[in-house]
Amino acid sequence: MAASQPSPASQRTLGSYYTPSDIAHTLTAWALQDNIGPVLDPSYGICRFLAAAVDVLADASVRRPARLVHGVDIDAEATTESTDALLRRGASSVQFVHKDFFSILPDARFAAVIGNPPYVRHHWQSVEVKAAAASAMEDAGVALSRRASLWAPFLVHADRFVRHDGRLAMLLPGAALQARYASAVWKHLACRYAHLTLVRVGERAFPDALEETVIVLADRRQDRSRRVPLMVEVPTFAALAQSLAEEDSALTLRRRGQRLERSRSTLTTARLLQIAAQHQAATRLGTIARVRIGTVTGANAFFVRAVDDDLLHSVGLDEVAQVVPGSRSMTGVRWTHLDDARVAAAGARCRMLCLSGGDEMSVPMSAAIAAAEKEGIHETSHCSRREPWWAIQPGSLPDAFLAYMAGEAKGIVTNALGARSLNGVHGLAWLVPDASGYLVSTWTSLWALAVEQTARHYAGGVLKLEPGAISALPVILHEDDLALVRLDEVLRQEGLRAARQLADRLVLEETLGFSEHQVRTLQAFVLQMMERRSPSIRALRNADT
Ligand SMILES: C[S@@+](CC[C@H](N)C(=O)[O-])C[C@H]1O[C@@H](n2cnc3c(N)ncnc32)[C@H](O)[C@@H]1O
């Protein structure tokens, strides 16, 4: 497949993604099963479907099978080589037309119309094709949004070439189930076939395109039908091929596939998460960072103090560590000296005693230790494991922080100060040099969704993120140093929702190529999950509006 892939420019303007031969064969075999006759691929590209049709027809013992296949494609050049191969198998050149498909008048004489129409966004469509498509839609009596991707009018026009009782089978993008404009297409086709099935396949047909695949299987063209479309999901193309090979394939799909009507948004978002995780810019957090629980003192009241605590003046400077007092105090994407000054001024306990255990202990410190021992602090489980119990050795400085428990999924915060964290905030140590390039992605809705799905839920709707679970979360590389600075500003000044919107735009739309619609779906779904977990979030949202 890779050898014959077209240039990025023709992928954009002509939607030239050529279908892998095995997938083309699956759809073609279904379309021609007990339905032998002329076949049309209205955007035949490099003959993947037409070559499959010749094979299927030959297997069905049709005489001169190559004479039954017909193709239309606007791009004569790209088709030449593969068309020559079909000519050598007995086809005639009149079977191949090089024109805009919308300029061809409908002729309902084909037993099967098959293929993979061009997915070309509205603003990449040429003026001529747009006008021809609009006029074809008018002829077909379908009010289709002018912003629709080209596959939609293509499908409506293609249907007009299918003969009575014939079939239509095509490979479509995920928008076929997601985009609002698509419903006009399905409403139109559902009235024209005895069965209309839309199958979402949980596997990508084009490894280099971030596109879900939906297969439309329209069976037995009628003048009038009152069926509603069946929507199912199957995990792989192999599973689809297996179901379609059965005698009553619609029934088999209904039995084996997962029905989509009710679980639509769940499946869409799960799929988006899966697509993101498979992207070349993605990896798991565990591959770029080691996640550790912050320091467990065993007695924070003794070890962790406010800056104005007199006891801090009686110990050496190197025996006091700056600490992030808790996940709620992390209001930006970086923990800086200004954050430390802010929490210190507010009286937060943000200094931890890390006594070295040497001989020269100050009098006030010795007195404080004696008082603590009188209270039995030294016998608590964590303290009793240390020797002496008051000598905390916090280990290496973390490179970044992440909340352990939170009401809402938050992202990773870099440690610009050289602070430490307590057990409410995890410390992260980078394992790769460019790890900070992944940080923006942890402020996206995708990350929030992954956290919602992975974290344990506590009373009151609190999320608890264990280090092992966090390590499996997907992160995406977005190399733009300024992005972190902007994100930090937005998070501090406008809050988490605004920061998430910015991160979504940068990472989900720009890096992963998600559509605005897909991003909105994710954002809405994350909110829904939060609301389900915590009624107080709903109250917050109502207060926002
Ligand atoms: C997604 S490719 C599919 C090719 C082939 N059916 C396959 O599955 O391998 C889309 C094809 O549509 C063709 N195309 C784009 N706009 C067209 C139009 N207005 N009329 C006819 N063909 C068009 C492109 O040249 C390209 O070959």
Side-chain angles (χ1 to χ4, degrees):
M1 181 185 168
S4 44
Q5 272 311 355
S7 70
S10 65
Q11 288 185 331
R12 235 184 352 245
T13 56
L14 296 180
S16 309
Y17 285 92
Y18 302 130
T19 310
S21 298
D22 51 345
I23 300 177
H25 189 276
T26 299
L27 266 63
T28 308
W30 175 82
L32 291 171
Q33 201 174 36
D34 303 323
N35 179 40
I36 301 298
V39 177
L40 170 70
D41 181 341
S43 58
Y44 76 101
I46 55 168
C47 298
R48 288 273 161 76
F49 280 88
L50 296 186
V54 175
D55 292 342
V56 172
L57 292 169
D59 284 350
S61 306
V62 170
R63 268 191 68 236
R64 302 208 293 167
R67 295 308 299 265
L68 286 183
V69 300
H70 299 258
V72 178
D73 203 293
I74 203 166
D75 185 359
E77 211 178 306
T79 61
T80 311
E81 208 180 301
S82 52
T83 310
D84 283 350
L86 286 186
L87 295 177
R88 285 196 295 277
R89 291 178 79 178
S92 152
S93 57
V94 294
Q95 292 166 235
F96 307 101
V97 176
H98 298 126
K99 277 189 179 171
D100 169 14
F101 176 51
F102 295 107
S103 70
I104 301 202
L105 291 178
D107 179 6
R109 70 184 175 91
F110 293 96
V113 175
I114 52 181
N116 175 6
Y119 317 159
V120 182
R121 285 182 183 192
H122 155 80
H123 53 266
W124 287 110
Q125 294 167 20
S126 72
V127 179
E128 296 78 23
V129 167
K130 254 188 218 171
S135 131
M137 291 309 93
E138 208 176 308
D139 277 0
V142 177
L144 190 63
S145 159
R146 294 206 167 211
R147 302 188 64 80
S149 169
L150 202 59
W151 67 264
F154 224 89
L155 198 58
V156 172
H157 195 51
D159 156 67
R160 303 182 75 195
F161 291 76
V162 182
R163 74 182 182 195
H164 185 76
D165 264 350
R167 293 198 181 117
L168 176 88
M170 287 198 172
L171 199 78
L172 303 175
L177 286 177
Q178 290 158 4
R180 200 167 293 157
Y181 62 76
S183 54
V185 177
W186 304 131
K187 218 164 132 193
H188 177 73
L189 291 190
C191 309
R192 283 164 171 71
Y193 289 86
H195 300 283
L196 180 67
T197 311
L198 301 174
V199 188
R200 175 157 50 215
V201 186
E203 185 181 34
R204 272 188 288 173
F206 310 101
D208 57 340
L210 192 75
E211 203 42 271
E212 288 185 26
T213 304
V214 173
I215 308 281
V216 55
L217 302 167
D219 191 12
R220 300 200 19 229
R221 178 73 156 81
Q222 316 282 293
D223 289 333
R224 204 149 254 307
S225 162
R226 302 185 65 172
R227 292 293 182 101
V228 285
L230 168 70
M231 291 189 262
V232 293
E233 169 147 320
V234 297
T236 58
F237 284 102
L240 176 72
Q242 214 177 16
S243 299
L244 293 187
E246 307 266 329
E247 208 165 301
D248 191 342
S249 49
L251 193 72
T252 313
L253 271 176
R254 187 168 295 151
R255 266 203 320 261
R256 288 205 195 134
Q258 181 170 356
R259 286 295 277 270
L260 275 175
E261 283 104 319
R262 262 178 239 125
S263 54
R264 189 176 141 168
S265 68
T266 318
L267 281 167
T268 307
T269 48
R271 184 78 190 105
L272 288 175
L273 201 56
Q274 200 184 0
I275 289 174
Q278 287 167 356
H279 195 272
Q280 58 185 15
T283 185
R284 299 200 172 275
L285 182 61
T287 64
I288 62 154
R290 197 173 46 242
V291 185
R292 289 244 173 90
I293 287 188
T295 307
V296 184
T297 67
N300 282 354
F302 175 80
F303 290 102
V304 188
R305 296 174 180 255
V307 282
D308 58 2
D309 192 311
D310 287 340
L311 199 61
L312 297 181
H313 303 303
S314 71
V315 297
L317 275 182
D318 57 346
E319 292 182 311
V320 178
Q322 293 165 316
V323 288
V324 178
S327 60
R328 236 184 259 167
S329 56
M330 296 192 290
T331 51
V333 174
R334 307 166 72 229
W335 183 260
T336 67
H337 70 280
L338 289 176
D339 290 301
D340 183 66
R342 171 175 51 82
V343 293
R349 291 168 171 265
C350 57
R351 296 292 180 267
M352 175 168 64
L353 290 170
C354 302
L355 305 173
S356 58
D359 299 334
E360 291 176 19
M361 177 141 340
S362 69
V363 175
M365 195 65 241
S366 303
I369 289 176
E373 285 175 357
K374 234 183 182 170
E375 283 176 38
I377 287 177
H378 61 303
E379 287 164 352
T380 59
S381 68
H382 279 286
C383 293
S384 64
R385 274 185 241 150
R386 282 192 296 263
E387 183 53 43
W389 69 268
W390 39 261
I392 288 182
Q393 282 167 0
S396 52
L397 276 176
D399 295 311
F401 301 113
L402 183 63
Y404 186 6
M405 297 210 239
E408 190 162 3
K410 290 191 183 165
I412 292 172
V413 176
T414 55
N415 185 5
L417 178 69
R420 299 185 179 281
S421 69
L422 300 168
N423 52 349
V425 174
H426 295 313
L428 276 66
W430 296 145
L431 299 175
V432 293
D434 59 352
S436 61
Y438 290 90
L439 290 196
V440 179
S441 76
T442 68
W443 292 91
T444 59
S445 300
L446 195 82
W447 171 268
L449 172 67
V451 169
E452 289 283 347
Q453 289 180 340
T454 314
R456 284 163 49 196
H457 294 185
Y458 265 49
V462 172
L463 295 169
K464 194 169 180 187
L465 269 171
E466 300 296 345
I470 298 170
S471 301
L473 297 179
V475 285
I476 294 130
L477 186 62
H478 179 82
E479 283 172 302
D480 172 3
D481 294 343
L482 283 181
L484 262 188
V485 177
R486 278 205 50 212
L487 189 66
D488 189 58
E489 260 172 36
V490 172
L491 183 60
R492 288 176 195 275
Q493 284 161 21
E494 297 170 49
L496 183 57
R497 294 295 148 71
R500 214 177 257 167
Q501 297 241 348
L502 173 63
D504 284 353
R505 192 154 45 73
L506 295 174
V507 179
L508 305 188
E509 291 183 28
E510 287 177 19
T511 304
L512 295 186
F514 282 6
S515 66
E516 276 177 39
H517 173 80
Q518 288 172 321
V519 170
R520 275 201 304 276
T521 307
L522 260 182
Q523 291 169 341
F525 191 61
V526 168
L527 267 184
Q528 233 179 52
M529 286 192 82
M530 277 169 44
E531 286 181 0
R532 228 178 289 154
R533 174 168 56 78
S534 163
S536 57
I537 306 278
R538 199 173 319 138
L540 252 182
R541 184 146 82 140
N542 291 342
D544 268 0
T545 53

